[in-house]
Amino acid sequence: LFNNSDITIKIYNSNMVLIDIIVENQFQQIGPQLIEYNLKDLSQGLYFVVISSGSDVLSKKVLISR
């Protein structure tokens, strides 16, 4: 993070249907952060992890294969 702020992290499937909210409006301080999430409950496929902090939004693709 570049600024102290509240963050939200959500996981969407390939159809952009919300699967889970990992973190919602949680305050994080500036700097690198580590948040663990267990993927075992997700079936294989393509997912999107969306991280929002203030007006900034970052989206990353995640491919789960077993």
Side-chain angles (χ1 to χ4, degrees):
L1 292 172
F2 297 109
N3 297 305
N4 294 339
S5 64
D6 291 335
I7 66 164
T8 298
I9 303 174
K10 297 179 180 180
I11 296 181
Y12 294 88
N13 67 14
S14 58
N15 296 321
M16 295 309 291
V17 174
L18 180 64
I19 300 298
D20 198 2
I21 299 173
I22 299 173
V23 173
E24 186 168 34
N25 296 324
Q26 183 180 80
F27 181 78
Q28 296 289 327
Q29 294 197 12
I30 193 169
Q33 304 296 320
L34 174 66
I35 296 173
E36 294 185 19
Y37 183 76
N38 192 340
L39 300 173
K40 73 174 186 164
D41 294 332
L42 297 178
S43 58
Q44 68 180 20
L46 180 65
Y47 294 88
F48 295 92
V49 177
V50 178
I51 304 169
S52 58
S53 171
S55 62
D56 298 323
V57 178
L58 173 68
S59 177
K60 292 290 184 180
K61 293 180 190 176
V62 176
L63 180 62
I64 297 175
S65 62
R66 303 195 196 276

